[in-house]
Amino acid sequence: MIQHKEQWLEQASRKIKVPAELIAKAFRDELEGSPAMDAPLEIPDIMDITYKYSYGGISRFFRELRDNRKLYGSRCTQCGKVWLPPRINCNECYAPTKWVELGDTAEVMTYTIVYYGTSTFFDKVPYVCAFVKVKGADTLIMQNIFLKDIRTAKVGMKVKIQFKDQRNGDMGDFWYVPADDGHDHV
Amino acid sequence: MNKVAIVGFGTTPFRARWIEKTYYELAYDAAKLALEDAGIDKKEVGGVVYGIYNELFERQFMPDVYVHNYIGMGLKPSVRVATGGATGGAAVFVGWTWIASGLYDIVMVLGVEKATDNYNYTVGHATPETLKAILFSGDMTFENPSGLTAAASYALPLIAHIDRYGSPTQKQMAMVAVKNHKNAMNNPNAQSPKLLSVDDVLGSKMITYPFKFYDNCLYSEGASAVVLASERVARSLSDTPAWITGVGLSLDKAFAGERDDITVFSSSVHAGRDAYKMAGIKEPARELDFAELHDAFTGAEILSYEAFGFCRPGEGGRLIEDGVVEMAGSLPVNPSGGLIGCGHAVGATGVMQTGEAALQVQGRAGKRQVKGARKGLVQSIGGPATAWTAALLVEHIDQVKAKSLIKPPAGSRRKRKKK
Ligand SMILES: [Zn+2]
């Protein structure tokens, strides 16, 4: 049995960044009961790392999103293929690419609706994950589609880009909404 | 290339949680069982290939180092394979090359995985954290932020397939769920043996469109090991070695949006083609007696029928409707229960399915035995979006009476007693 329960909970809470009362609930047996010496002993733990991650050669893509509400792809200087997600070189030609601004519209090529997500997405379900073909790009990109009625999602649906007001320079800065609808959905 | 046989198989039961064992303790159990089944001592093992998928599941990076030590293989050659859901099959592939090359005579392939030591304190169970740990496998810059889950990455090609062909239908997928849960009732190591009706599946809650609850495999914990041997050793150890006569491994474009045809499991097409070619298989639907496929989701099993040429593109759903892939059909798929019925202890899964295929061709599969099984296909798929496939052909070949010419390795018991 755990001695100094309050201290143990406080330390565990700080360590795994979870409120003490939730930890107390999960460890009720160990805190209140008297498990056998050989009973499996569980511990609260966490593995986390913080980053200052560099986008490297595709930094411009995210600056254009964040600062200018613009979506860029990259065109291969040799075969002309327009990549989105962008890349600074073409893996077919092994040649460099050049930045090219893409259109606001796209077509849904396939999609799915997530009803049960990870803990990061608890407040977002249900949501649509789709592969869309953006006007001017030769590849598809994964992005969320926001719909008033999620059941209206379908392959072939025409959508248009919408930018977040406060952009951070990541893929969360934009999403798509039906092209024939002028209203915001978020 | 030298011939390679499976001469031993051991597995722990697959369970939702093995609270009483760590990953290395589970690995020990599987290793012990596999060595006993092969009738050899650990000293005779030339090297070990580990299949362990996710560091965050194990709460340990380089977990193979600790397994290798724990099972007493110190100083022997070892490498870890981590190819997402395809980890088990790909580990067997690598073990196969170690023997086919002539480098070693006996290689152990050991897959192990925990998953539910992850814990979400808000909801009081593992799943959201387990999903989160998997989501780190989606491209962190472009795909992780969209909330892609493992189920979603299978659903995306599937929805495109349904849009093109009108199949598989929700009912056809439900029939796969019924079949694999039912098959698992014959497997003592299975996590989800269940007699379900199609309506039970259709009535279960939607998890990721179009997958209902019973269309999904569950997270499992467990360990499985196979002992592979060169022809010389295999014939001395067993009257009925299970030969791996064909192997294939393929890794598709990471971003599914860059692929030529999003409705096709292209890595399975390629890995299957290579394995078939090596094994001399021209008409898989006619020549194969069974298959252990990677049914992480029901729809994935159906698309795999098509990828492996059991039928033409768009016709996969008919194989389940016509009963072809049922235990009584001409090409039973997942007699073990597969991932849906037996479970998905990721790194162990493909090793378990390889071992199950060996039991089948050796006639040792008990209640789940496919009558007269001589040739089976094993598939392991890994993400993102089915990028990886390992394919293996496991076969019974009539024994050439040359055993007396072969000297068994020192210290080995001569023959495994047949069940
Ligand atoms: Zn190019």
Side-chain angles (χ1 to χ4, degrees):
Chain A
M1 212 172 58
I2 296 168
Q3 309 292 325
H4 315 294
K5 285 174 198 167
E6 294 309 312
Q7 265 172 295
W8 182 88
L9 278 170
E10 195 189 306
Q11 277 173 18
S13 177
R14 220 175 314 138
K15 180 182 171 192
I16 71 170
K17 299 167 185 130
V18 167
E21 56 271 27
L22 292 179
I23 301 176
K25 209 170 130 195
F27 285 89
R28 190 177 296 142
D29 284 355
E30 207 61 52
L31 287 164
E32 315 288 345
S34 45
M37 223 45 200
D38 284 324
L41 173 59
E42 298 170 290
I43 56 157
D45 207 357
I46 187 170
M47 290 177 96
D48 66 350
I49 295 287
T50 49
Y51 293 86
K52 189 163 168 267
Y53 178 81
S54 168
Y55 281 133
I58 54 169
S59 295
R60 183 186 179 126
F61 175 84
F62 291 102
R63 279 220 176 80
E64 292 286 0
L65 270 183
R66 187 189 65 185
D67 302 348
N68 300 325
R69 295 175 182 251
K70 280 183 175 165
L71 181 66
Y72 271 72
S74 65
R75 187 195 305 277
C76 173
T77 53
Q78 204 160 311
C79 71
K81 183 169 179 171
V82 177
W83 294 89
L84 181 69
R87 36 182 305 149
I88 55 171
N89 37 50
C90 175
N91 65 6
E92 286 163 17
C93 310
Y94 269 55
T97 59
K98 280 192 167 149
W99 291 105
V100 40
E101 194 179 338
L102 299 173
D104 288 340
T105 58
E107 183 179 349
V108 174
M109 305 309 282
T110 188
Y111 72 96
T112 181
I113 307 168
V114 179
Y115 290 86
Y116 195 101
T118 77
S119 41
T120 317
F121 292 82
F122 273 157
D123 52 341
K124 304 237 166 60
V125 291
Y127 56 88
V128 176
C129 261
F131 270 119
V132 300
K133 186 145 199 258
V134 174
K135 194 164 191 222
D138 291 314
T139 58
L140 319 179
I141 193 164
M142 182 176 295
Q143 195 47 285
N144 298 116
I145 315 284
F146 285 101
L147 301 166
K148 279 183 194 138
D149 179 359
I150 206 147
R151 290 165 303 179
T152 58
K154 64 174 200 289
V155 176
M157 181 178 239
K158 302 283 190 286
V159 291
K160 66 181 178 202
I161 199 165
Q162 202 168 71
F163 293 95
K164 200 173 167 182
D165 285 339
Q166 289 194 335
R167 294 173 304 284
N168 306 316
D170 59 42
M171 285 295 282
D173 284 354
F174 71 106
W175 51 79
Y176 287 88
V177 297
D180 54 11
D181 191 321
H183 303 289
D184 282 4
H185 293 261
V186 186
Chain B
M1 276 185 299
N2 294 325
K3 279 191 187 172
V4 181
I6 302 160
V7 295
F9 169 44
T11 188
T12 69
F14 280 18
R15 285 198 202 155
R17 181 121 206 249
W18 270 100
I19 192 171
E20 66 273 44
K21 299 257 164 105
T22 64
Y23 68 94
Y24 46 83
E25 290 165 347
L26 287 170
Y28 170 90
D29 288 353
K32 187 166 195 287
L33 288 167
L35 290 170
E36 281 169 8
D37 191 44
I40 59 167
D41 188 271
K42 73 177 169 72
K43 291 191 193 74
E44 296 165 70
V45 173
V48 191
V49 178
Y50 295 102
I52 310 176
Y53 157 57
N54 195 314
E55 288 84 357
L56 296 173
F57 285 7
E58 266 61 60
R59 201 199 62 146
Q60 181 64 61
F61 281 60
M62 306 202 303
D64 47 316
V65 174
Y66 304 97
V67 176
H68 200 61
N69 173 65
Y70 195 79
I71 66 171
M73 294 292 181
L75 292 177
K76 287 185 198 285
S78 158
V79 70
R80 171 195 173 193
V81 173
T83 59
T87 294
V92 177
F93 176 97
V94 171
W96 182 93
T97 64
W98 282 15
I99 292 185
S101 64
L103 203 52
Y104 308 110
D105 272 323
I106 300 179
V107 169
M108 184 190 283
V109 180
L110 203 174
V112 59
E113 207 79 54
K114 294 286 276 188
T116 49
D117 280 329
N118 295 159
Y119 190 80
N120 184 279
Y121 286 80
T122 307
V123 296
H125 60 88
T127 310
E129 291 310 290
T130 309
L131 284 172
K132 188 175 171 184
I134 296 171
L135 186 49
F136 291 127
S137 307
D139 182 87
M140 288 300 288
T141 299
F142 290 103
E143 298 195 339
N144 173 291
S146 71
L148 180 82
T149 59
S153 89
Y154 277 87
L156 289 163
L158 186 69
I159 296 282
H161 185 281
I162 293 169
D163 183 67
R164 185 181 302 175
Y165 298 105
S167 79
T169 63
Q170 205 87 51
K171 190 184 162 207
Q172 288 165 340
M173 290 192 280
M175 290 173 81
V176 170
V178 171
K179 168 178 73 72
N180 293 353
H181 282 98
K182 187 174 156 207
N183 288 356
M185 294 172 78
N186 294 323
N187 183 351
N189 297 313
Q191 182 181 347
S192 307
K194 256 187 194 74
L195 204 54
L196 293 170
S197 69
V198 166
D199 285 342
D200 290 335
V201 182
L202 294 176
S204 62
K205 68 176 176 190
M206 188 67 84
I207 301 293
T208 301
Y209 180 73
F211 302 130
K212 302 281 182 76
F213 177 78
Y214 287 119
D215 286 303
N216 297 256
C217 68
L218 301 174
Y219 300 108
S220 313
E221 302 194 329
S224 305
V226 290
V227 177
L228 307 182
S230 64
E231 184 173 20
R232 186 180 70 85
V233 172
R235 291 202 192 281
S236 74
L237 287 173
S238 171
D239 285 330
T240 56
W243 301 94
I244 301 179
T245 54
V247 295
L249 186 63
S250 171
L251 176 53
D252 201 351
K253 291 169 181 169
F255 295 112
E258 293 176 1
R259 295 177 194 165
D260 297 335
D261 186 347
I262 202 167
T263 69
V264 181
F265 288 178
S266 296
S267 63
S268 290
V269 172
H270 283 259
R273 206 175 277 162
D274 287 352
Y276 287 160
K277 193 178 167 201
M278 197 181 289
I281 287 181
K282 295 192 171 63
E283 294 175 68
R286 209 174 49 77
E287 294 176 62
L288 294 176
D289 299 313
F290 70 96
E292 282 287 331
L293 301 185
H294 195 90
D295 58 325
F297 305 92
T298 50
E301 180 176 310
I302 292 174
L303 260 58
S304 296
Y305 303 157
E306 299 174 9
F308 285 125
F310 299 176
C311 60
R312 283 195 293 259
E315 292 179 355
R318 274 166 50 189
L319 294 191
I320 181 75
E321 281 200 344
D322 296 347
V324 173
V325 291
E326 299 280 357
M327 278 306 277
S330 59
L331 177 42
V333 171
N334 288 326
S336 70
L339 282 62
I340 286 172
C342 182
H344 190 16
V346 186
T349 301
V351 181
M352 177 275 288
Q353 289 185 295
T354 303
E356 283 287 323
L359 295 183
Q360 288 288 347
V361 302
Q362 292 172 320
R364 298 199 294 148
K367 277 161 70 184
R368 56 197 183 283
Q369 181 67 48
V370 174
K371 242 193 188 156
R374 298 174 65 86
K375 224 175 255 195
L377 171 71
V378 179
Q379 171 201 36
S380 268
I381 296 181
T386 75
W388 260 303
T389 299
L392 309 154
L393 248 297
V394 179
E395 240 181 284
H396 170 88
I397 296 171
D398 285 323
Q399 183 77 301
V400 181
K401 300 284 176 200
K403 285 178 299 204
S404 56
L405 300 173
I406 298 159
K407 206 167 155 267
S412 72
R413 275 179 272 146
R414 282 203 83 87
K415 286 271 162 58
R416 177 175 57 231
K417 280 178 214 83
K418 275 204 283 182
K419 272 192 185 165

